[in-house]
Amino acid sequence: MTSSGRADANRRRIEQVALAELLRDPDASMDQIARAAGVVRRTVYGHFPSREALIAALVDSAVDSVAQAHASGREGVDDPAEALARATLRVWEIADRYRLLVALAQRSVTMEGIRARLTPVREACAAVLQQGLDEGVFTSPLPAAALAHVHEHVLFGLMEAVNAGALAADRAGRSAAVTMLISAGMPAGRAQELVESLPGPTG
């Protein structure tokens, strides 16, 4: 393996270990993360000049995962309601994994920064919503771009609700998908029926 390959492998390992350590202990120090990763402190700082930079990198990785999940949920699905539901279920799998990271990141990365990173996902969501509005599947007084912002805020709110114990994690994924459809103007019964018919996370 080349030196750059080793460096990349080290960075990935540090990120994986850091995520696990920070989810276990949100106050984990760079020293703790280095010990857990089996490297010296200098190696961690060689990749991430500060704890804030490390958390920002973890947020970037999480956003990449969310974007991939959203795209895979929509892939090959023509019906906008099904596309929205499938994308939400796939995104929730990622969001549920990272929801504690989002709470942690708010200490280091502004929510404006997190939402800026999510711009491509929001634009893709707006496109699905616009298709649904055009086809009469969705009905909303809001334009698609505004509705996409609403959906994003709702997902963050649901993540915070799970973190706070106000929403049970074991049904949160499907609840999120139904909420997205209802907020887009689909009748509640139809939204529930559609989401329950789809494979997806139990959480």
Side-chain angles (χ1 to χ4, degrees):
M1 185 183 292
T2 65
S3 58
S4 63
R6 282 194 297 272
D8 288 344
N10 270 342
R11 181 186 175 92
R12 287 194 298 272
R13 171 163 173 71
I14 290 167
E15 285 190 9
Q16 291 169 356
V17 171
L19 178 61
E21 287 297 302
L22 288 167
L23 295 184
R24 183 182 61 79
D25 175 11
D27 296 316
S29 67
M30 295 289 265
D31 283 338
Q32 287 175 255
I33 291 167
R35 284 196 299 272
V39 298
V40 297
R41 188 169 178 264
R42 185 177 65 232
T43 300
V44 176
Y45 277 104
H47 292 286
F48 307 100
S50 66
R51 190 172 182 275
E52 289 71 24
L54 172 57
I55 292 172
L58 294 176
V59 170
D60 285 341
S61 294
V63 168
D64 287 344
S65 296
V66 166
Q68 291 170 17
H70 196 276
S72 68
R74 303 188 320 269
E75 186 176 6
V77 181
D78 294 327
D79 175 57
E82 184 178 343
L84 179 60
R86 286 182 179 274
T88 302
L89 288 169
R90 292 299 299 273
V91 165
W92 188 264
E93 293 182 53
I94 305 302
D96 192 51
R97 188 184 312 161
Y98 289 115
R99 59 188 166 81
L100 295 176
L101 173 63
V102 170
L104 173 65
Q106 289 177 40
R107 305 181 193 177
S108 303
V109 183
T110 64
M111 284 307 294
E112 289 78 10
I114 294 173
R115 291 197 169 102
R117 289 167 165 85
L118 285 169
T119 297
V121 178
R122 188 185 314 114
E123 291 174 347
C125 181
V128 173
L129 290 166
Q130 186 63 60
Q131 179 190 352
L133 290 169
D134 291 343
E135 295 178 5
V137 176
F138 301 143
T139 304
S140 175
L142 300 174
L147 193 54
H149 277 278
V150 170
H151 282 191
E152 184 176 298
H153 281 269
V154 168
L155 283 175
F156 276 116
L158 291 174
M159 291 166 68
E160 291 173 4
V162 174
N163 287 345
L167 176 64
D170 63 351
R171 290 290 298 173
R174 293 191 184 277
S175 295
V178 173
T179 300
M180 295 298 101
L181 292 171
I182 293 173
S183 66
M186 177 174 277
R190 170 67 182 129
Q192 187 77 40
E193 179 184 348
L194 173 59
V195 172
E196 291 299 332
S197 73
L198 298 176
T202 57

